[in-house]
Amino acid sequence: MGEILVFLGPPGAGKGTLASWYREKTGARHISTGDVLRQAVKDGTEVGKVAAGYMDAGKLVPLEVILDVLFEAVPNFSEGTILLDGFPRTVEQAEALDQRLSEKGLEVNRVVLFEIPDEDVVKRLSSRLLCPECGAVYNLESAPPKQEGVCDACGESLIRRRDDEPDSIRERLKVYWDSTAPLVSYYKERGKLIPIDASKGIQEVRAELEKVSG
Ligand code: AP5
């Protein structure tokens, strides 16, 4: 029997990095709404055209768009372990997810909260690099590529995400504290929340995640 796992936390907390590791380790299906949206922007789809402006500005994509994106990416929640990274991000989204899951007799099983101070977020996002081809994520400080500016996995030139500019980082943090942080009490009240200290080094965060995620 699979389960539905959510990674919750501020931008740059390491959700995507740890989700990739968790997927490789467990075979879980990793759905990052941010990755799906970035692909849609790259492909120039209708969703991508709507989403691009919100994403660059660090704002949330509208509810109806993000629900379409999620339910298209995961038409059936009952197969295997599903790891949701970047969704839900508002109480409204969490309620829509609960509603959809309850129709199938399912529920969110566990929510791992990545806790990290804002100043660490700013440092991490200012030194993040991304491969536009295969999506691999690097960090000039903590996880640099072997060859400067080049993806280890596919050899493509690395780029900075457009929303990793200072104004956008500030807005994303504001959106997190205004709209996403209320999910902490939402899931705590339901007995699903597992906080971990995401400000530690990658190996330590992995070890903590391993302990709590079974
Ligand atoms: P999304 O892509 O989900 O961005 P995010 O949540 O802001 O998270 P990030 O991807 O920036 O950070 P992360 O926590 O994954 O950190 P990472 O592992 O890369 O969303 C982007 C946009 O899409 C949103 O702003 C919004 O517009 C839209 N969107 C997406 N979902 C939506 C939704 N549900 N509703 C509405 N709109 C939505 O790590 C960061 C850096 O730190 C990397 O360089 C990494 O190498 C490094 N690092 C990671 N862990 C460590 C560590 N322990 N120590 C040192 N360095 C580390």
Side-chain angles (χ1 to χ4, degrees):
M1 174 73 177
E3 68 165 348
I4 298 164
L5 188 62
V6 170
F7 278 8
L8 177 67
K15 305 180 297 294
T17 302
L18 273 298
S20 298
W21 169 78
Y22 190 80
R23 176 193 59 211
E24 277 166 33
K25 185 174 129 2
T26 64
R29 196 156 160 222
H30 169 205
I31 313 295
S32 156
T33 41
D35 286 350
V36 176
L37 290 170
R38 274 184 290 280
Q39 188 62 43
V41 172
K42 194 172 160 201
D43 295 343
T45 65
E46 284 310 309
V47 163
K49 284 179 196 152
V50 175
Y54 292 96
M55 294 174 78
D56 287 354
K59 298 194 181 301
L60 294 179
V61 168
L63 181 68
E64 58 281 12
V65 175
I66 202 72
L67 291 181
D68 283 353
V69 162
L70 180 79
F71 295 142
E72 200 184 314
V74 197
N76 184 356
F77 282 88
S78 50
E79 279 170 19
T81 296
I82 295 177
L83 167 51
L84 298 177
D85 158 16
F87 186 96
R89 243 173 159 98
T90 62
V91 170
E92 226 180 354
Q93 291 182 10
E95 287 169 349
L97 177 64
D98 286 350
Q99 168 70 31
R100 173 65 70 110
L101 293 176
S102 73
E103 285 162 12
K104 297 171 189 286
L106 298 169
E107 60 180 345
V108 168
N109 300 96
R110 286 183 287 179
V111 177
V112 180
L113 171 65
F114 287 65
E115 293 185 305
I116 181 169
D118 285 4
E119 55 270 27
D120 291 9
V121 163
V122 174
K123 270 190 222 144
R124 281 190 190 175
L125 293 184
S126 313
S127 48
R128 173 163 65 182
L129 291 174
L130 172 76
C131 176
E133 189 54 37
C134 71
V137 174
Y138 298 88
N139 193 282
L140 291 171
E141 305 289 332
S142 56
K146 292 192 182 93
Q147 191 188 336
E148 196 183 325
V150 177
C151 179
D152 295 348
C154 72
E156 184 70 30
S157 295
L158 301 176
I159 57 164
R160 268 174 70 89
R161 261 172 56 173
R162 291 162 65 100
D163 58 354
D164 282 347
E165 297 304 326
D167 283 354
S168 184
I169 295 175
R170 263 193 299 278
E171 179 63 21
R172 287 160 68 200
L173 276 168
K174 183 175 181 312
V175 168
Y176 176 77
W177 289 112
D178 289 350
S179 305
T180 308
L183 283 176
V184 172
S185 26
Y186 182 90
Y187 285 121
K188 198 171 181 183
E189 281 159 16
R190 288 161 178 75
K192 310 212 184 246
L193 198 76
I194 307 171
I196 63 171
D197 180 356
S199 68
K200 295 179 182 163
I202 295 179
Q203 304 295 343
E204 289 165 279
V205 181
R206 267 186 203 166
E208 207 173 326
L209 182 60
E210 201 151 28
K211 246 190 282 162
V212 301
S213 60

